[in-house]
Amino acid sequence: MSSYNLTHLAQLEHEAIFIMREVAAQFERPALLFSGGKDSIVMVRLAQKAFAPAKYPFPLVHVDTGHNFDETIQFRDYLAKETGGRLVVRYVADSIKAGRAQEEKGPNPSRNGLQTITLLDTIEEFKYDACLGGARRDEEKARAKERFFSHRDEFGQWDPKNQRPELWNLFNGRKNQGEHFRVFPLSNWTEMDVWQYIARENLAIPSIYFTHQREVVNRNGVLLAKSPYITLLDGEKYETRTVRYRTVGDSTCTGAVESTAANLGEVIQEVASARQTERGTRADDKRSETAMEDRKKAGYF
């Protein structure tokens, strides 16, 4: 069928499936980075379609900060079991105990950046040569610089000035010993595309994405959920608000948005009218103008 006859979502789906099959063909030990969030849920569905009727050939790898939302972790375990995937979980807490990482200090110490160390150790442990991720170019300006096949050196680092050309859907997966690739099949998707695909495929998602009551504190414009890992500052207090999450991650740096969107249709309407990007609720991205790019250069997702 000509691509001109395909819907927008169908074209994006075909592109992502093509890239996943390229990964399976070019690499010996690929893995799918999986958090239980909406983008990684879409990735699992695409992997199912790419390799049906066989099971998808990638283990699901999650780096658990220990500060994740309970709803996301429960859904992660459910989906891995439901789809027959092999779930590999490694913990930032173990990296801290081993002296490989150091806990942050302050009123809300985030482990988000510490994931890099645990992830690189996991890649080395299992000798993964390609890690599929659900990152999209519309999320953040540093991610917009990245290609589908993102080369990482022997230290797991990313050099934005050393990207390989990707002409005519030709992807260069050649690498030296110790190097690996991060691969992003959803690069050309937007947040709206993801939600519309979830609706089209009738995918189950964690309840945290829909409106609910939660105790939060407003810290520098970010609504952070009540947590034993957050210390209230002078003048701060928790208050119950009606919220949902547009993106999920470490609870110490992932903010909620006030919302009454209770179903997929309402979420899609809300996203269509949003004036802030989904990562605008992430406190970790506001630490500096180059926060995301600095983390990626160090080996972050």
Side-chain angles (χ1 to χ4, degrees):
M1 179 185 295
S2 170
S3 61
Y4 293 108
N5 296 324
L6 298 175
T7 66
H8 174 62
L9 280 182
Q11 290 185 47
L12 289 172
E13 179 185 66
H14 284 209
E15 178 182 66
I17 287 174
F18 174 78
I19 292 167
M20 285 189 169
R21 289 172 177 167
E22 277 291 301
V23 169
Q26 291 196 41
F27 298 97
E28 294 181 4
R29 298 181 67 84
L32 195 159
L33 302 179
F34 180 72
S35 67
K38 67 182 186 306
D39 300 302
S40 58
I41 292 169
V42 168
M43 289 281 287
V44 170
R45 171 51 60 92
L46 291 167
Q48 288 179 302
K49 290 191 172 187
F51 302 100
K55 288 186 178 180
Y56 52 88
F58 315 120
L60 305 179
V61 176
H62 183 220
V63 175
D64 191 338
T65 67
H67 295 171
N68 298 91
F69 294 99
D70 291 339
E71 297 95 327
T72 310
I73 296 300
Q74 292 166 7
F75 192 88
R76 176 202 70 186
D77 296 341
Y78 155 78
L79 191 63
K81 183 177 180 181
E82 182 72 12
T83 62
R86 181 168 68 89
L87 181 62
V88 175
V89 182
R90 290 295 181 267
Y91 300 91
V92 170
D94 291 338
S95 298
I96 295 171
K97 290 178 183 177
R100 295 276 295 146
Q102 185 174 358
E103 193 88 74
E104 284 188 358
K105 308 297 183 182
N108 60 313
S110 174
R111 291 181 175 178
N112 203 51
L114 303 185
Q115 293 179 86
T116 298
I117 296 168
T118 309
L119 174 58
L120 293 177
D121 286 347
T122 304
I123 290 171
E124 175 63 25
E125 177 186 355
F126 292 96
K127 307 301 180 188
Y128 295 134
D129 52 3
C131 291
L132 291 143
R136 309 185 319 270
R137 293 190 182 116
D138 77 318
E139 289 181 275
E140 208 274 341
K141 57 188 177 183
R143 287 183 170 170
K145 296 180 180 181
E146 214 153 19
R147 304 286 171 84
F148 285 108
F149 275 40
S150 179
H151 174 262
R152 304 299 171 102
D153 66 18
E154 64 271 26
F155 302 106
Q157 298 173 327
W158 170 65
D159 182 359
K161 294 178 291 185
N162 191 28
Q163 296 282 288
R164 298 178 178 181
E166 294 180 341
L167 304 175
W168 306 294
N169 289 333
L170 297 176
F171 301 105
N172 183 354
R174 286 179 292 181
K175 60 181 181 58
N176 296 319
Q177 184 69 29
E179 298 175 346
H180 71 278
F181 279 79
R182 309 288 172 84
V183 182
F184 304 110
L186 302 186
S187 288
N188 287 335
W189 296 50
T190 65
E191 181 186 11
M192 176 63 80
D193 295 328
V194 168
W195 282 115
Q196 289 180 331
Y197 190 79
I198 288 171
R200 193 192 82 173
E201 297 293 307
N202 194 28
L203 299 180
I205 58 174
S207 60
I208 198 170
Y209 283 115
F210 299 117
T211 185
H212 59 282
Q213 297 273 300
R214 190 177 291 264
E215 288 187 87
V216 297
V217 60
N218 188 333
R219 178 166 294 171
N220 299 321
V222 178
L223 300 180
L224 297 175
K226 185 176 183 179
S227 163
Y229 312 111
I230 293 178
T231 302
L232 291 180
L233 304 176
D234 291 342
E236 288 185 337
K237 64 177 182 179
Y238 287 112
E239 53 184 326
T240 301
R241 295 201 190 183
T242 301
V243 300
R244 74 174 192 88
Y245 286 84
R246 290 176 67 184
T247 179
V248 295
D250 191 309
S251 64
T252 61
C253 62
T254 304
V257 294
E258 293 193 271
S259 171
T260 58
N263 55 55
L264 286 175
E266 292 175 354
V267 167
I268 289 171
Q269 287 183 343
E270 186 179 273
V271 170
S273 61
R275 297 180 61 85
Q276 183 183 50
T277 66
E278 62 188 298
R279 291 195 70 90
T281 61
R282 295 291 291 264
D284 52 323
D285 287 352
K286 298 182 179 182
R287 294 189 174 192
S288 76
E289 282 292 321
T290 60
M292 172 64 79
E293 184 158 332
D294 292 341
R295 294 201 304 273
K296 290 182 78 64
K297 288 179 179 178
Y300 184 71
F301 177 68

